[in-house]
């Protein structure tokens, strides 16, 4: 009989408990698929006495995750504590130094320390796997490192924070203001303890930086991600974008250009008829474009006990099968430092502003755009509210630099009575 693969699990929250349930309830299936038994040797969490709905009596308990990570009866250290530093970082480092394989769901840890940890894993002959860190149950890491390994990746983009997608969906479907939709998401327990991680785009930015490293062969560069949250998106933007055939999503986009690596996580408009435009609720979607395969779309649950625990177990099963894949798809020593580049690839933009009810107001705005080299594709003016009129403009493709020049000129016009809002339109 094959020797069991022995797990040490640190962190017994929603995901950790889900992993324990899978190992306990699907033992025969896991052994049949991996060729060896999967067993849990020991666990660790902040509170031992908490009722987690699953028995832990048959496992050794360690108060210190670092001690758990270095136990002789642990082959794979499963880190589900979270946090970019502190106990999670110390325990992962200890496991790798001890020659243990590591499976983690910790996107913040990898976004900030991924290169150093990948180098440590390489030096120790260990593997560091993190499918559960990006897009929940969607196997996007495996797709990039394995299934699409024969492709030059052109672009990676996606909706990778279910909370933001839920808020934007509720704003549109329920006619809610941002504040009302935010409060609803909070009441449902969707928001992180620090909500800015979600609505500020930080959580999704962590994930984008990890995908970009794999896709483009660079060292992880979270500091190079241009971040903009959804807090400035209004119900008017939601309604008027829909009126023009678009939906607003917090969209991550990364591409390699001649200037360097573009990484942007910001509210964007996408065609309502596109797969991203039809995405609703807390679901995630990742779109990958390869030179050989074209566009691949992956959609699924981005969080939660079952989907995330499923991703953790996918990594555990690969370790059990003997699959040894470099952390970011190629040797850590071969990854080049990312040269950050502003997202200046030309794109159409959505502009919303309000104009004074005066003759020639539209002409003055059009002239300001034209002088900056920004061409108008279509424009719509809504009924006057008191002495001002809401105006929407969709431009032809332009650079952000040209657009910013036009916006600066527009704000100096006396007829422009509200600061313009500009959102990129991503073609999918």
């Amino acid at each position: 009989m094959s020797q069991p693969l022995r797990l040490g699990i640190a962190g017994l929250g929603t995901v950790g408990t889900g992993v324990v349930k899978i190992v306990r309830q699907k033992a025969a299936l896991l052994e049949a698929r991996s060729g060896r038994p999967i067993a849990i040797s020991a666990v660790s969490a902040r509170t031992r006495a908490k009722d987690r709905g699953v028995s832990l009596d048959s496992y050794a308990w360690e108060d210190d995750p670092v001690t758990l990570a270095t136990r002789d009866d642990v082959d794979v250290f499963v880190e589900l504590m979270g946090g970019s530093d502190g106990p999670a970082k110390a325990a992962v480092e200890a496991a790798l130094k001890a020659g243990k394989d590591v499976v983690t769901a910790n996107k913040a840890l990898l976004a900030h320390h991924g290169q150093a940890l990948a180098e440590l894993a390489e030096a120790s002959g260990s593997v560091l796997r993190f499918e559960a860190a990006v897009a929940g149950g969607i196997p996007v890491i495996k797709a990039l490192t394995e299934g699409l390994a024969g492709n030059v990746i052109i672009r990676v983009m996606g909706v990778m924070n279910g909370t933001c997608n839920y808020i934007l969906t509720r704003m549109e479907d329920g006619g809610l203001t941002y504040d009302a939709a935010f409060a609803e998401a909070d009441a449902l327990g969707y928001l992180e303890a620090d909500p800015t991680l979600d609505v500020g785009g930080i959580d999704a930015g962590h994930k984008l930086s990890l995908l970009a490293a794999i896709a483009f062969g660079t060292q992880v560069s979270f500091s190079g991600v241009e971040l903009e949250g959804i807090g400035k998106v209004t119900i008017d933007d939601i309604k008027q974008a829909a009126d023009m055939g678009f939906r607003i999503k917090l969209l991550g986009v990364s591409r390699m250009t001649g200037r360097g690596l573009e990484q942007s996580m910001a509210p964007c408009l996408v065609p309502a008829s596109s797969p991203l435009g039809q995405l609703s609720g807390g679901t995630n979607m990742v779109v990958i474009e390869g030179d050989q395969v074209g566009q691949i779309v992956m959609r699924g649950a981005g969080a939660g006990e079952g989907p995330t625990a499923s991703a953790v177990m996918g990594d555990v099963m690969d370790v059990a099968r003997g699959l040894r894949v470099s952390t970011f798809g190629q040797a850590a020593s071969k990854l080049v430092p990312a040269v950050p580049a502003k997202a200046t690839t030309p794109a159409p933009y959505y502009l919303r502003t309000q104009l004074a009810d005066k003759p020639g107001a539209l002409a003055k705005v059009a002239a300001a755009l034209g002088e900056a080299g920004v061409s108008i594709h279509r424009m719509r003016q809504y009924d006057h509210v008191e002495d001002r009129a809401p105006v929407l403009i969709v431009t032809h493709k332009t650079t952000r630099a040209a657009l910013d020049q036009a916006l600066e000129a527009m704000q100096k016009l006396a007829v422009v009575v509200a600061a313009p809002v500009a959102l990129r339109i991503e073609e999918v």
Side-chain angles (χ1 to χ4, degrees):
M1 179 179 176
S2 300
Q3 291 296 312
L5 184 73
R6 301 165 298 178
L7 311 182
I9 303 175
L12 294 170
T14 300
V15 178
T17 301
V19 171
V20 172
K21 289 177 181 177
I22 292 175
V23 173
R24 291 175 70 91
Q25 296 169 7
K26 304 185 186 300
L29 178 66
L30 297 177
E31 182 174 358
R33 288 179 172 173
S34 70
R36 62 191 295 192
I38 308 295
I40 298 172
S41 298
V43 295
S44 177
R46 281 180 293 189
T47 306
R48 185 170 187 172
K50 181 180 177 181
D51 181 8
R52 295 175 170 86
V54 60
S55 175
L56 304 172
D57 294 343
S58 58
Y59 313 133
W61 181 276
E62 295 285 359
D63 291 322
D64 182 3
V66 173
T67 302
L68 172 66
T70 55
R71 284 177 62 107
D72 290 340
D73 60 354
V74 167
D75 303 310
V76 180
F77 177 60
V78 182
E79 186 277 302
L80 304 172
M81 296 178 287
S84 60
D85 290 287
K89 180 173 179 283
V92 168
E93 289 174 338
L96 293 174
K97 288 175 183 176
K100 313 286 188 184
D101 294 327
V102 173
V103 172
T104 181
N106 194 335
K107 63 253 180 195
L109 175 68
L110 292 167
H112 289 281
H113 306 291
Q115 180 63 25
L117 293 174
E119 290 176 0
L120 181 55
E122 195 171 277
S124 303
S126 303
V127 294
L128 172 60
R129 302 186 65 96
F130 58 98
E131 186 67 71
V134 179
I138 303 174
V140 61
I141 304 298
K142 196 172 183 68
L144 275 172
T145 56
E146 299 175 45
L148 301 177
N151 285 253
V152 172
I153 304 301
I154 299 165
R155 179 172 63 160
V156 176
M157 62 182 171
V159 171
M160 291 175 273
N161 184 277
T163 300
C164 287
N165 203 51
Y166 176 85
I167 289 172
L168 293 171
T169 298
R170 288 294 294 137
M171 287 175 72
E172 180 172 6
D173 294 347
L176 303 180
T177 64
Y178 170 80
D179 288 341
F182 179 96
E184 184 175 286
D186 192 24
L188 291 169
Y190 290 171
L191 288 164
E192 297 273 3
D194 177 2
T196 58
L197 291 173
D198 287 318
V199 299
I202 298 169
D203 169 83
H206 286 152
K207 299 169 185 176
L208 181 67
S209 70
L210 299 178
L211 294 183
I214 300 170
F216 304 112
T218 66
Q219 297 176 10
V220 182
S221 178
F222 173 63
S223 63
V225 180
E226 296 179 66
L227 291 176
E228 181 184 343
I230 63 171
K232 293 181 180 178
V233 176
T234 69
I235 186 62
D236 287 337
D237 290 321
I238 297 282
K239 291 177 178 177
Q240 291 164 0
D243 203 25
M244 302 282 271
F246 297 102
R247 289 201 169 95
I248 299 176
K249 301 293 179 185
L250 180 67
L251 189 65
V253 183
S254 181
R255 53 169 67 84
M256 184 62 76
T257 72
R259 298 168 292 100
L261 180 63
E262 290 184 3
Q263 298 181 94
S264 172
M265 181 63 64
C268 292
L269 274 70
V270 295
S273 60
S274 69
L276 283 166
Q278 295 175 42
L279 190 69
S280 63
T283 310
N284 281 198
M285 180 176 287
V286 180
V287 180
I288 303 171
E289 293 179 4
D291 67 335
Q292 300 300 310
V293 77
Q295 192 174 94
I296 298 291
V297 178
M298 290 176 281
R299 175 184 183 276
E305 177 183 310
T308 311
S310 168
V312 170
M313 287 308 301
D315 283 342
V316 168
M317 293 290 280
D318 278 347
V319 173
R321 292 167 175 145
L323 182 63
R324 317 295 289 179
V325 178
S326 298
T327 306
F328 295 106
Q330 57 183 286
S333 59
K334 302 289 187 183
L335 298 174
V336 298
V339 177
K342 285 279 188 182
T344 57
T345 299
Y349 281 83
Y350 156 99
L351 302 180
R352 173 176 59 83
T353 191
Q354 294 187 47
L355 303 183
D357 184 14
K358 295 181 179 179
L362 276 174
K364 290 178 180 178
V365 169
L369 290 166
E371 288 170 7
V374 179
S375 172
I376 296 174
H377 174 51
R378 51 191 170 127
M379 181 165 54
R380 181 168 296 174
Q381 181 173 329
Y382 289 85
D383 291 339
H384 290 70
V385 179
E386 297 178 350
D387 61 346
R388 56 181 62 188
V391 174
L392 296 186
I393 295 170
V394 174
T395 75
H396 286 288
K397 283 186 178 182
T398 186
T399 64
R400 183 70 205 205
L403 184 70
D404 286 342
Q405 180 184 336
L407 293 176
E408 183 178 353
M410 284 172 60
Q411 292 185 75
K412 294 177 181 177
L413 298 174
V415 295
V416 175
V417 293
V421 172
L423 298 176
R424 183 183 176 95
I425 299 173
E426 197 67 38
E427 298 177 321
V428 293

